[in-house]
Amino acid sequence: MARRAVVVLLSVLSLLSFAAIKIGFFAPLTGPAAADGASALHGAQLAVEYINSRGGVLGQPVELVWYDDNFKADQAVNIAYKLVQQDKVAVVVSGSYSGMTRAAAGIYQQLKVPMISAYAVHPEIVATGEYIFRVGTLATVQGRAGAHLAVKKLGAKKIAILTIDNDFGVSLTACFKEEAARLGAEIVFEQKYPLGETDFRPLLTRIKAVKPDAIYATGYFSEAARLVTQARQMGIFVPIIGQEGYDSPQFAKLAEAGAANGVVITTDLNRDSEKPIVKWFIEEYAKRYNLDADMVGASAFDAVMVAAKAIQIAGTYDPAKIRDALASIKAGDVELEDFVTGFRGFTEKRESLRTITCQIYLGNRFHWFWEIKDPAIVTP
Amino acid sequence: MLQNIVNALVLGSSYVMIAVGLTLVYGILKILHIAHAGIYAFGALFAVYLYELGFPFILAILLSLVVSSFLGVFVYRGFYKHVLNRGRIVPLVMSVGLFAAMEDLYRLVWGPYKRPFDVYLNLPDIMTPSLYLSSRGVLMLIVTVIVVFVLYLLLMKTKLGKSLRACSNDLHLAGAFGVNTDRTIAYGFLIGSCLAALGGILVGLYDNTVYPTMGSVPSYKAFVVVVLGGFGSIRGAVIASYILALVETFVVYKLGYLLPRDAIAFLTMIVLLMFKPEGLFGKVQR
């Protein structure tokens, strides 16, 4: 009898807990990108906690339903079906890279459930259809901003390019080259390298020979740390311009003996910010995960915040209404105080409008260096 | 030019460490021991873990080498030993599964993040206008030379070396002539795993980066070396390591990543095997 009572009680409790509003989430928690996946998940979980500590959405707590895509596009597609058909989530946040996000986007579009990409940069993702949004910076914008940073701010005339050979690096480089050429700079060297490369010395030997004024190098923090270290060791002291892929506290730890100093990146997490939410985010992240916050985590945090905001605006848990609510978060209307990054709303094309901050690594972390607000550059 | 050669020598040395151990195991058991790369990663991760706990640098490395060596013996005694008479495919599949499980176990224990091997080595960097070699690279070169020399002495001058060579030649015959084959195989795993772990530690130091999946590429790259060197020939493995590193470095230098480094490695192997099917120092199969 007592056992039956417990069972009944438990099922009632589980029913109650199922009343929470579900936001779907996927990220590469295992496999070669597990570190970024973990950061993204941390960011998303912190956002859920932040939202719930302030009363949830529509009077109900928010619950994150998350899966591991294992850095595989087919897995991301399976998860899309699972999140929509089995878990019945009404909105999904992608905490994954461009390849996986792009593959999944088509499914969400088909099933008519809105998906928000946290930090995947590839242009095609959002072009998939009207259910797909992006909180992170579009490759076009970031590549363009990088070119302005290199040519206008740092005065480079001859630029060498090293690109990580995936959607992220290739799309950034294409946009960078276009804008750099427009600004009158010359690309004197260009090569791709595969994800996970550790030995850049053969390429750097050649870069050294062409004597560029600056190196634009796309990649993630671990490749970037090796690249920067090896460049400095080989006596290449020109500015190295990176982008948000570098924006992790791990970057400088993996680089040797001050090699990270002076590296300039385009990114969107300003650790010098006075905004209360940024301070809360950075402090809580460090306390909870025993790690310093990075750009990936910040973007995932904001993507979940946007999702919750859309549910609030929609006033219901209907995917189509949430989509409309997302589209109504217009560029420029957004209260910056609600977000960790500089997210300022969606454009007509469902891309995010944001200010691009340039940061420089000095001492022990990234610091504010320059800001690009010019609408001609930052409008996607 | 000089810079490229030096870079290639260091890269080649990193292949030597993992490939020599694998050659030893392959030579005796004739099984493809993929999980060898799991021990390579474990050696590095465990050394960094101990070092971060506050163990002195040398002690952390020694302890990690000891634990890794016994992990290798455990892999043999706990897994391979029971399926040796089931053909070669069973241990191979077992090895692949074991390796996949190892990588994610490391992730669970130590987290997915790449860690630096934050240690100050009191060794000089070599720095001239045309050449740079970090002290960590120097360390890798020196240790490799010592290891290869010690291994040579061990194989040629000791009783254990004799048993290892006998088992490598013909396991059953060696058993029939009174060699304790089980113990000899275990020693093979012990030495091979110790070298793999040492390789992982040196590469971790050289790259200043240690992470759970660091064995992924070496897991198959080492096979190129073993095959190229001529299945089971230690000398062949050492020479093949350096040939491969030189080819990789110069192709990347000349052509960039027209083809990824790993494809270059396999192509080199395929081309060389066309002319010398038994590998560089292999015995012709009867």
Side-chain angles (χ1 to χ4, degrees), chain A residues 31-45:
Chain A
D36 274 343
S39 291
L41 181 62
H42 292 161
Q45 284 173 331

Side-chain angles (χ1 to χ4, degrees), chain B residues 29 31 73-86 91 94 180-183 185-186 189:
Chain B
L29 283 185
I31 58 172
V73 176
F74 171 72
V75 168
Y76 165 63
R77 288 255 158 95
F79 297 93
Y80 295 146
K81 193 179 170 183
H82 307 289
V83 293
L84 278 181
N85 53 1
R86 301 233 186 134
M94 186 180 252
N180 185 341
T181 51
D182 179 58
R183 227 180 64 195
I185 296 169
F189 269 88

Side-chain angles (χ1 to χ4, degrees), chain B residues 146-158 234:
Chain B
I146 296 173
V147 161
V148 170
F149 183 66
V150 169
L151 196 68
Y152 172 81
L153 288 183
L154 183 91
L155 283 175
M156 293 302 164
K157 308 281 177 203
T158 65
I234 302 278

Side-chain angles (χ1 to χ4, degrees), chain B residues 224-242:
Chain B
V224 178
V225 175
V226 173
V227 175
L228 197 59
F231 299 100
S233 160
I234 302 278
R235 186 166 48 141
V238 172
I239 292 171
S241 295
Y242 289 111

Side-chain angles (χ1 to χ4, degrees), chain A residues 29-32 34-36 38-39 42 165 191-194 196-203 205-206 208 221-223 226 230 233-234 250 253-256 285 291 294, chain B residues 1 3-4 7 11 104 107 112-118 125 127-130 132 134 136 205-211 213 248-249 252-258 260-261:
Chain A
L29 301 171
T30 53
D36 274 343
S39 291
H42 292 161
D165 194 6
Q191 275 294 339
K192 291 176 188 168
Y193 66 86
E197 183 55 80
T198 54
D199 182 13
F200 296 94
R201 296 176 186 89
L203 294 181
T205 311
R206 280 172 65 191
K208 197 176 174 183
F221 59 84
S222 52
E223 289 89 8
R226 308 279 15 101
Q230 290 166 11
Q233 286 175 343
M234 290 173 63
Q250 296 292 110
K253 284 188 194 148
L254 299 176
E256 279 160 55
Y285 197 104
L291 281 165
D294 56 11
Chain B
M1 186 69 185
Q3 180 73 59
N4 277 328
N7 291 344
L11 186 67
D104 268 311
R107 181 182 56 81
Y113 292 94
K114 300 193 175 184
R115 297 150 171 258
F117 206 145
D118 260 332
D125 291 355
M127 217 183 298
T128 70
S130 60
Y132 178 87
S134 70
R136 293 167 180 221
L205 267 174
Y206 183 56
D207 286 340
N208 196 32
T209 309
V210 168
Y211 54 103
T213 53
E248 278 181 28
T249 303
V252 171
Y253 176 74
K254 285 285 175 209
L255 302 176
Y257 290 87
L258 198 65
R261 223 172 243 281

